[in-house]
Amino acid sequence: MVVTSAGVFGSALPRTGSTAVGEPVRGARRALPFAPTLSPEIESAKKNAFIMIPYGMFVLGVADGAMLHAAAINWVMQSAYREPQFTMGVRRPGGYGMPFDPALYDDRLYAALVTVRRFALSFLGSDQAQVARAFMKPTRVDAGTINGQAFQTRMTGAPILATAPAWFEASIENSMEAADHTLFLCKVFNAGNTVERPLLMDRDATTRPKGWLPQP
């Protein structure tokens, strides 16, 4: 029996040598919903495996008119070779199904992001854990800094950290809701690289308080 992913992106995955890319596989059936009840042992193993997935740390910046927003995020990955595209996951307001805590995150960033659909992404170096922590709280712009960090702006007007070893400016090409987050497919149209150094990993960014959920 061959298991296919028919319907995930509008068509089934092709069988090599038999079907052109983009054409449905003949006879393929859409998979039925599969949601088994997991035992406590499997739930624990699942949680531990997810924790092992490595992520870097970034600061997402958005400009909505004169309003600037910025937050630390970690769910970012390259998505294509031919086009300079990447995917990022951003928490939706109320996405966790729990009361919003304004001391941990400012939901106005998400609203601005889906409105303007352009943003800046500042990479954080391995020695910038303190910078990451500065953006795990609502945005504050004061005396030419954002959350206490110097920044610059380029084509989007969104804040780019002055100390970032690299940065992108990008536009949202597509999106898909995934439980409590939205996945954005993004295309880079501007970039900068000031110095090469290892990326800050999320597990090194902070000791997370109990109940804190890291993704905006």
Side-chain angles (χ1 to χ4, degrees), residues 9-10 48-49 52 54 58-59 82 112 120 126 146 155-156 193 199 216:
F9 293 105
N48 290 335
M52 293 172 65
F58 309 82
V59 172
R82 292 183 181 179
S126 58
I146 188 164
M155 296 173 66
T156 63
N193 181 214
L199 189 67

Side-chain angles (χ1 to χ4, degrees), residues 98-177:
M98 61 181 66
F100 170 67
D101 185 350
L104 297 181
Y105 183 68
D106 187 340
D107 274 337
R108 291 176 296 180
L109 181 144
Y110 184 92
L113 179 66
V114 298
T115 297
V116 302
R117 302 183 68 82
R118 299 195 307 167
F119 61 92
L121 192 70
S122 297
F123 291 55
L124 296 180
S126 58
D127 58 348
Q128 292 186 294
Q130 193 63 38
V131 177
R133 296 186 190 105
F135 291 92
M136 295 174 185
K137 60 185 69 174
T139 303
R140 181 181 177 87
V141 180
D142 182 49
T145 66
I146 188 164
N147 288 23
Q149 305 296 315
F151 69 95
Q152 59 179 315
T153 60
R154 295 297 180 96
M155 296 173 66
T156 63
I160 300 168
L161 298 189
T163 59
W167 53 267
F168 287 153
E169 286 190 299
S171 59
I172 295 173
E173 299 289 295
N174 210 336
S175 64
M176 180 181 73
E177 291 189 359

Side-chain angles (χ1 to χ4, degrees), residues 47-56 74-75 201-203:
K47 179 180 178 180
N48 290 335
F50 268 100
I51 291 173
M52 293 172 65
I53 300 175
Y55 298 103
N74 59 353
W75 290 355
M201 305 307 291
D202 65 341
R203 66 188 63 186

